[in-house]
Amino acid sequence: MSSSPYDVLMLRALEQAEQAPVHGDVPVGAVVADADGTILSAAHNGREAVGDPTAHAEVLAIRAAAQALGSWRLTGCTLVVTLEPCTMCAGALVLARVDRLVYGAVDPKAGAAGSLWDVVRDRRLNHRPEVIGGLRAEECGAQLRRFFEGHRGG
């Protein structure tokens, strides 16, 4: 069992991820919390539901958090997501000035927070969030494996 201060946020992200397969999408969930740990937004993958290739959980959560704050700058915020962000989502959190990224499962095929690429730590960019990877990694990974086993016939 995890004892991270972000554990409650990851549990909420996992709950969000459970909703994505209802619409035929990959179970990824994300939450954005402010500096006090108050959840500003929560989202799950919505590409299939809305027909939008950019409707990843992270992007939807970032958009909703910015709307809640009334600013595109998410300084002081933490993005918690069940799967390591892809390049698009990593770029979005850098551009939004998110202070901290916490993710669960590693994505060796498309991860951009240290696995395949490391967009979030690229020194050429003007913002580099703190990165905490592997929180509840087994639980997050199991959720994804169950989804793909069901879609690939085992």
Side-chain angles (χ1 to χ4, degrees):
M1 204 46 127
S2 180
S3 62
S4 167
Y6 308 107
D7 212 42
V8 171
L9 298 174
M10 184 59 83
L11 289 173
R12 180 73 184 275
L14 281 160
E15 289 171 2
Q16 280 293 313
E18 289 175 12
Q19 297 176 40
V22 172
H23 306 288
D25 220 322
V26 177
V28 177
V31 299
V32 175
D34 67 13
D36 296 324
T38 302
I39 294 176
L40 299 172
S41 63
H44 56 82
N45 273 356
R47 296 173 308 167
E48 298 295 337
V50 298
D52 179 354
T54 69
H56 288 201
E58 301 96 299
V59 170
L60 296 174
I62 287 168
R63 287 176 183 162
Q67 186 172 16
L69 289 175
S71 173
W72 64 268
R73 293 178 195 268
L74 300 184
T75 306
C77 292
T78 298
L79 171 66
V80 179
V81 61
T82 58
L83 179 65
E84 179 183 0
C86 69
T87 54
M88 175 183 69
C89 295
L93 73 96
V94 167
L95 292 173
R97 309 299 194 271
V98 171
D99 278 1
R100 184 175 302 102
L101 164 65
V102 179
Y103 68 88
V106 169
D107 187 352
K109 293 183 179 178
S115 291
L116 188 57
W117 293 286
D118 204 352
V119 171
V120 295
R121 292 184 194 97
D122 191 321
R123 295 217 173 268
R124 296 169 292 183
L125 298 175
N126 64 345
H127 179 74
R128 287 177 298 283
E130 174 186 2
V131 178
I132 301 168
L135 180 63
R136 290 186 170 264
E138 181 53 40
E139 193 173 345
C140 294
Q143 193 176 48
L144 289 158
R145 283 189 297 279
R146 283 190 302 275
F147 174 80
F148 286 113
E149 285 169 1
H151 279 73
R152 294 180 181 145

